[in-house]
Amino acid sequence: MGSFSNFSVISVLLVLSLVSVASLAEARAFFVFGDSLVDNGNNNYLATTARADAPPYGIDYPTHQPTGRFSNGLNIPDLISEAIGSEATLPYLSPALTGQRLLVGANFASAGIGILNDTGIQFPFPSDPSTTRK
């Protein structure tokens, strides 16, 4: 458990250092890859049970509505976007991600994602009976 904790601390420090460096240079686009920690709504467009589109998610978000973020408010990419003076990235599956909005960047994160084949098995596709638990 200690190595996970160390990894978390190192990750936060890396993000903070990137934000400080990013504020010195003009950012052109911001692309996000990851899991539920940085997912800002991609799972709203996927057939999965890993969803954050209902309360209590979003209660501290500016609109006080669930957005698909697995948090009660802004997540790390939102804070980085604010720090570099850019608008928040949209989920790559969002129909609103076109034209100028795409030039800002995109968020490709999805809750339950991982590099192993078994990652996310606890969130089966609802229409796939072979992945349901017995």
Side-chain angles (χ1 to χ4, degrees):
M1 193 62 154
S3 64
F4 178 75
S5 183
N6 290 341
F7 177 74
S8 297
V9 170
I10 291 170
S11 297
V12 168
L13 291 175
L14 178 62
V15 167
L16 292 175
S17 65
L18 288 174
V19 168
S20 64
V21 169
S23 64
L24 298 176
E26 185 178 326
R28 296 174 193 245
F30 179 40
F31 295 92
V32 180
F33 301 91
D35 59 8
S36 61
L37 296 175
V38 292
D39 184 351
N40 69 344
N42 280 307
N43 281 19
N44 290 348
Y45 303 98
L46 297 174
T48 179
T49 57
R51 307 192 62 90
D53 57 355
Y57 297 111
I59 59 173
D60 292 328
Y61 192 75
T63 63
H64 305 289
Q65 298 294 316
T67 61
R69 288 166 175 79
F70 286 78
S71 66
N72 63 329
L74 300 175
N75 61 18
I76 297 289
D78 295 323
L79 299 175
I80 293 173
S81 292
E82 283 181 4
I84 63 176
S86 178
E87 62 182 273
T89 57
L90 290 175
Y92 82 99
L93 294 170
S94 172
L97 186 64
T98 59
Q100 286 297 115
R101 304 266 339 240
L102 182 57
L103 296 178
V104 171
N107 187 313
F108 293 90
S110 177
I113 198 164
I115 59 171
L116 302 174
N117 290 337
D118 292 339
T119 305
I121 202 162
Q122 69 272 26
F123 302 114
F125 289 104
S127 61
D128 186 356
S130 67
T131 60
T132 58
R133 294 188 179 209
K134 309 238 185 297

